[in-house]
Amino acid sequence: MKKFTKIMALGLALTLAAGALAGCGGSGSSSKETEAPAQESAGTIVFGTNAEFPPFEFTTTEGVIGQYDGIDMAIANKIAQDNGMTAEINNMEFDSLLVALENGQVDAVIAGMTITPERQEEVDFTTPYYTATQVMIVPEDSTIAKASDMEGKEIRVIQGYTGETAVQELGYAYQSFKKGTEAVMELVNGKCDVVVIDSATAQKYVSDNEGLKIVEDAEAFGAEEYGIAVKKGNEELLTKMNTAIESMLADGTISDIAAQYAEAGE
Ligand code: ARG
C-alpha cells in the first residue's frame, strides 16, 4: 500500500512537471495545422517576430524554423530545444508585436528588439543577447560623414524602429517606411540621401546592394541591446529564456550563430 502511494505520488509529480512545461506553451499560433485550443498546444513556445530584418529574421525556402531563418530564429530554436519544447513563429508587423504579446497571441517576441525604458513599461525583457547601434546608410559618394550632416537631407527610417526615435530626437524631418528594403530601394534609386537603421542589418543591405556605404557616429547614436520580450510578470518563461541565453552567451553559441549569419551575407 505504501509503495503504491509512493508510485502514485511520483506519477503525479511527473504529470505536474509535464503540465508546468505545457503551461508555457503557446496560444493562438498561426502557423500550426491543428486548431487546438491554447492550453492543448503543449510543448511549444510561440515566438512573435517581424521577418523583415536580416540577418536576425528573414524568410527563405528552408529556414531553421519552417520558412524563417536568421540569428534570432536560431536562438529561438535553441531556447525551445533546451527546454524540451518546439519553437513556432508568428510573423507580423513590427508595430503589432508587443500588443500581440499583451493579448496572449504569442508567448514571446524575438525581433532584434532593442530594450528601451518605454518598452520596459509594457513588457519584460530577458538578459540582452546582442549589442548594436544605429548607423547611416548612404550612397558611396555621399558627403554625409556624421549625424549632423543629415540636416536638410532626405532621411528615411523604418516605422516604429529605434532608428525612427533616434532621428526624431535629433530633430530632423524624415519619411518612414514599413520595411527596411523599401527604404533601401529609395536610396538605391536616388530618391533619398540616407537611411538610419540598426548596424548589422545595414551591413547586410550594403553587401546586397551596389554603391552604398555605412557611416557611423558613436556620439549621436548610442549602444542598443537586443532582448527577448515576454508578457509582464511571466517569470516562469523569463527564467527559462534567461537560463538558455546565459548559457549560450557563456559557451559562445550566440557569437557562433551571429558569425555564421553575417558570413552568409557576404
Ligand atoms: N532594433 C530596432 C528596434 O528595436 C529595430 C528592430 C526591428 N526588428 C524587426 N524584426 N523588424 O526598434
Side-chain angles (χ1 to χ4, degrees):
M1 193 62 187
K2 239 185 177 168
K3 204 169 185 185
F4 179 69
T5 317
K6 251 187 193 162
I7 292 169
M8 284 295 285
L10 180 66
L12 180 63
L14 285 174
T15 312
L16 286 175
L21 277 174
C24 83
S27 42
S29 94
S30 70
S31 48
K32 232 191 163 176
E33 310 88 346
T34 51
E35 285 301 340
Q39 307 94 301
E40 280 178 38
S41 53
T44 68
I45 304 176
V46 180
F47 286 91
T49 198
N50 167 252
E52 296 287 347
F53 198 61
F56 296 92
E57 42 267 340
F58 50 92
T59 49
T60 179
T61 41
E62 249 181 82
V64 57
I65 308 174
Q67 56 171 324
Y68 302 103
D69 207 3
I71 298 169
D72 284 348
M73 301 299 99
I75 291 174
N77 204 27
K78 192 76 177 32
I79 290 175
Q81 268 174 12
D82 281 5
N83 288 285
M85 300 171 84
T86 318
E88 227 170 83
I89 297 300
N90 191 339
N91 187 27
M92 63 184 82
E93 286 191 359
F94 187 74
D95 277 348
S96 308
L97 286 167
L98 296 190
V99 180
L101 188 57
E102 282 163 49
N103 291 343
Q105 245 177 291
V106 298
D107 299 311
V109 167
I110 185 158
M113 187 174 274
T114 305
I115 304 170
T116 68
E118 294 74 25
R119 289 171 180 164
Q120 277 173 317
E121 278 174 22
E122 292 173 58
V123 296
D124 287 339
F125 281 98
T126 59
T127 303
Y129 63 89
Y130 192 90
T131 305
T133 185
Q134 297 302 309
V135 299
M136 295 167 279
I137 313 179
V138 297
E140 243 156 28
D141 61 357
S142 172
T143 55
I144 295 174
K146 53 186 187 309
S148 59
D149 294 334
M150 290 196 293
E151 182 157 18
K153 294 280 202 285
E154 284 292 331
I155 306 171
R156 302 290 181 263
V157 300
I158 321 308
Q159 199 177 304
Y161 287 18
T162 42
E164 178 175 20
T165 320
V167 172
Q168 265 166 7
E169 277 165 9
L170 290 168
Y172 303 140
Y174 62 83
Q175 264 183 42
S176 66
F177 284 85
K178 288 234 171 203
K179 298 177 180 184
T181 46
E182 293 170 346
V184 170
M185 271 312 115
E186 287 256 307
L187 204 52
V188 168
N189 295 331
K191 295 202 171 127
C192 72
D193 302 306
V194 53
V195 172
V196 177
I197 196 164
D198 300 54
S199 38
T201 304
Q203 197 57 62
K204 184 78 179 83
Y205 289 140
V206 167
S207 51
D208 285 355
N209 295 278
E210 293 275 296
L212 303 178
K213 68 175 180 186
I214 287 174
V215 176
E216 294 178 46
D217 185 340
E219 270 167 44
F221 306 116
E224 297 186 12
E225 293 186 306
Y226 296 169
I228 301 173
V230 300
K231 197 176 181 145
K232 244 194 192 315
N234 191 351
E235 291 297 329
E236 196 188 337
L237 186 56
L238 191 66
T239 306
K240 281 193 168 90
M241 302 244 175
N242 276 338
T243 307
I245 290 174
E246 278 151 29
S247 95
M248 282 190 272
L249 285 171
D251 71 7
T253 303
I254 292 191
S255 51
D256 287 350
I257 292 172
Q260 180 197 324
Y261 282 98
E263 273 165 27
E266 276 156 30

